[in-house]
Amino acid sequence: MKKTVGIGMLALVFIQACSQSTSSLTKHSATNIMKSESAPIAKRVDHLMEIHDHQRNDPYYWLRDDSREDPEMLAYLNAENNYTQTKLAHTQTLQNILFKEMTSRLEPNDASVPVLDKGYWYSSIFQQGKDYRIIVRQKGSLAAPKEVLIDQNIRAQGHDYYNLGDRKVSPNQKLLAIAEDTVSRRLYNIRIKDIASDTYYPEVLSNASANIVWANDNKTLFYVKKDPETLLPYQVYRHTLGTSPEQDVLVYQEDDNTFYTYIYKTRSDNFIAIGLSSTMNSETLLLDAEHPTQAPKTLLARSKDHLYRADHINDYFYIHTNKNALNGKIVRVHQSKIGDITQWQTVLKHNDDTLIQDLDLFDNFFTTNERINGLEKLRIRDYQGNLVQEISFTDEAYSSYLSNNPDPTSEKIRYYYSSMTTPNSVFEYDTNTQKSTLLKQDKVLGVFDPSDYQSKRILITARDGAKIPVSLVYRKSLFSHNATNPMLVYGYGSYGSTNDPSFSISRLSLLDRGFVYAIAHIRGSKMLGEKWYEDGKKLTKMNSFTDFIDVTKGLIAQQYADPNKVYASGRSAGGLLMGAVVNMAPELYHGVLAGVPFVDVVTTMLDETIPLTTGEYDEWGNPNDKQFYDYMLSYSPYDQVSRQAYPNMLVTTGLHDSQVQYYEPAKWVAKLRAMKTDDNLLLLDTDMEVGHGGKSGRYKSFLDIAKQYSFILSLAGVDK
């Protein structure tokens, strides 16, 4: 399940090259992989771009085709795929072993912990051999018969990709609204089902985001439409059950294309909130859920560098805000006094050492997820802000967050817990007894004992003195602290997104083959608070890249890895990280996995027609400003490719990617192939059926992981 988010995630969801001789990278040649001279060579077509009196030539710009139908472009991608398949042919047996190994650890018939909501127990079921969940409910009791709300396996039939983005049951429990994506572009179609008759209403609400909210009249549905070109969610519509979508009413339109639009229902069920957010600004409008045709009212107008998110209970709005509070604070305002910030009353003060990440309201208390020194704590407070209870943990490195708690009258709190050695677990904490009860822990089938593995958290000093947290895990019996283990270092470091250490069934396949796995919690995340994020964005973005390099060097120096068998991995903005570090320090890595990498930073951020561009100026900067243009250009992986040796690289993308367009990694590989001076592997693997998230489905997703792991395992000399 996804973490619920506070103001820190409102932005949504996103160098100077060092020369290196070929001879110095001899140790990183792909000695165990057959060489071939048949790599595709992309044609060059001059494409000049000029701004700020500076001209760039992008000879591979022709690979961009927004229709995704150009025969020459498709032929090139298919040629790259064929080349990749040929070069990885010798790993096919290993891929099959890994896929079978990973999927065999899954509980074939699995079910989520039932959640009580308005008289029904809701849960989801995996059936053996099927890729998608079946959503069911039971009325009143867990002994009642299961009623199938939606079988995603049936809905996915006939589609290469399927994603159920959201599902909402109407207040009277008779209708189900679902948002489905069958293209992998995050453009959803919303359908409405009559649960009793198991039939769908004829209307289809298209080009929508996954957001769905019911009004309290059980016939009015709110949803958000996206711009079909930029995919920016910007229009809130009101739909009446049983009517044509052409009759839907536009409730609100956001005309500032740096803002994202989303909707949600407050904890009290009294209001429907329209959330408007950019990276550093936000605003909330409110609709009366009992009178959905009334015009929205503004909770508090947007202002520069003010992020907030509001919820409502017991006649008060509780607001998680960064107003004069870098790490956040909690305030409240009576529902009769919205719009006036002078009426705000502080409930939980700002603390320089504590990042408030999440807020959940109950009738008699509220809960927060707070991060202190990089570690998460779940705290229960009264409505005067006093700390009443705290749920604490003993692992050095872990992930914990509030779970689905739909009933505000409950005295019990559900939460998730996981560590790099502890499978995902659901607990229930009783505020009366102050005890946690384990409701479910994911089973790992086969031979698995958590005590066989060691998880730890260390600090590595960066070049400017900053202490970078690193989470590590390895199999005890296969680890030798004398620089003999292969190691995979993972990083992201953007948008304030923090990759807390958690359990991975697939990762066991690396650990059981002697790998050390490390997560570098570099600047650009919020591992050490909001300042940690601020120090890794815009004009401080270079810190993210140098942190990752310094962590790698530090781990090698502390003999966690064989320096000849160090690998790196990152996806999306983490793919940008990979692109930057291989330009800056290619000699450190034997192989790199770059997934859906955001590598053509300058060109993309200058093009407002590309999804996510305008909404992310506060993350990367606006290159129409020369200061930001020059800074971006200094690290943009595509622009900084140089004539030097590069590590072995597997670059993956999806033709239908809506977040990082397929042509960014395609152009990057074409340029690398033309300029690199080594004979190491450079592979581009484009999935022609999917988008940013890769394959859908419980089992199919492991195919990609098996391929990527087989690539680095083969480089490390492991073929079993």
Side-chain angles (χ1 to χ4, degrees), residues 22 25-26 28-31 33-37 83 87 644-648 676-682:
T22 305
L25 290 189
T26 302
H28 286 166
S29 62
T31 54
I33 298 179
M34 178 183 65
K35 302 296 191 298
S36 171
E37 301 299 324
Y83 176 68
K87 302 305 288 184
Q644 64 174 348
Y646 283 88
N648 298 286
K676 72 192 193 82
T677 59
D678 60 86
D679 61 355
N680 291 334
L681 280 177
L682 174 60

Side-chain angles (χ1 to χ4, degrees), residues 178-313:
I178 59 173
E180 300 173 300
D181 176 12
T182 57
V183 180
S184 194
R185 289 282 286 168
R186 303 189 183 184
L187 278 174
Y188 292 86
N189 289 328
I190 297 173
R191 301 292 307 271
I192 303 169
K193 176 182 177 180
D194 180 276
I195 298 174
S197 65
D198 194 23
T199 59
Y200 285 86
Y201 282 77
E203 60 260 38
V204 179
L205 315 180
S206 59
N207 291 332
S209 70
N211 270 164
I212 307 170
V213 177
W214 285 99
N216 293 345
D217 61 3
N218 301 296
K219 67 178 183 179
T220 304
L221 190 73
F222 290 87
Y223 65 102
V224 182
K225 274 198 172 185
K226 290 187 172 185
D227 183 294
E229 183 176 19
T230 66
L231 304 186
L232 190 71
Y234 75 116
Q235 292 177 322
V236 178
Y237 274 88
R238 185 178 70 239
H239 175 76
T240 302
L241 185 68
T243 65
S244 169
E246 295 178 356
Q247 300 176 28
D248 290 354
V249 177
L250 178 64
V251 176
Y252 177 81
Q253 176 169 308
E254 177 54 56
D255 293 322
D256 185 336
N257 64 4
T258 67
F259 276 74
Y260 298 87
T261 303
Y262 60 97
I263 54 176
Y264 61 97
K265 206 168 191 179
T266 61
R267 186 72 156 156
S268 62
D269 286 334
N270 293 344
F271 297 94
I272 297 163
I274 300 175
L276 309 163
S277 69
S278 66
T279 306
M280 291 305 300
N281 298 275
S282 61
E283 183 175 13
T284 301
L285 309 180
L286 299 169
L287 294 159
D288 188 332
E290 293 290 342
H291 304 93
T293 61
Q294 291 183 357
K297 298 179 179 179
T298 302
L299 175 61
L300 185 72
R302 68 189 70 174
S303 61
K304 182 176 174 57
D305 296 333
H306 184 203
L307 288 169
Y308 73 90
R309 184 179 172 101
D311 206 347
H312 180 265
I313 199 167

Side-chain angles (χ1 to χ4, degrees), residues 14 49 51-52 56 64 257-258 260 279 495 538 576 598-625 628-629 632-633 635-636 639 659 663-664:
F14 241 103
M49 299 172 286
I51 188 173
H52 306 307
R56 293 180 300 138
R64 174 178 178 175
N257 64 4
T258 67
Y260 298 87
T279 306
Y495 304 108
K538 295 173 79 171
L576 161 64
F598 174 40
V599 286
D600 192 12
V601 183
V602 177
T603 304
T604 291
M605 293 304 295
L606 282 169
D607 189 343
E608 296 186 5
T609 69
I610 294 176
L612 303 186
T613 291
T614 55
E616 301 196 354
Y617 287 152
D618 282 332
E619 178 69 26
W620 310 102
N622 185 344
N624 291 292
D625 180 328
F628 288 109
Y629 174 84
M632 282 183 192
L633 194 63
Y635 68 75
S636 173
D639 292 285
Q659 310 300 105
Y663 45 81
E664 289 200 40

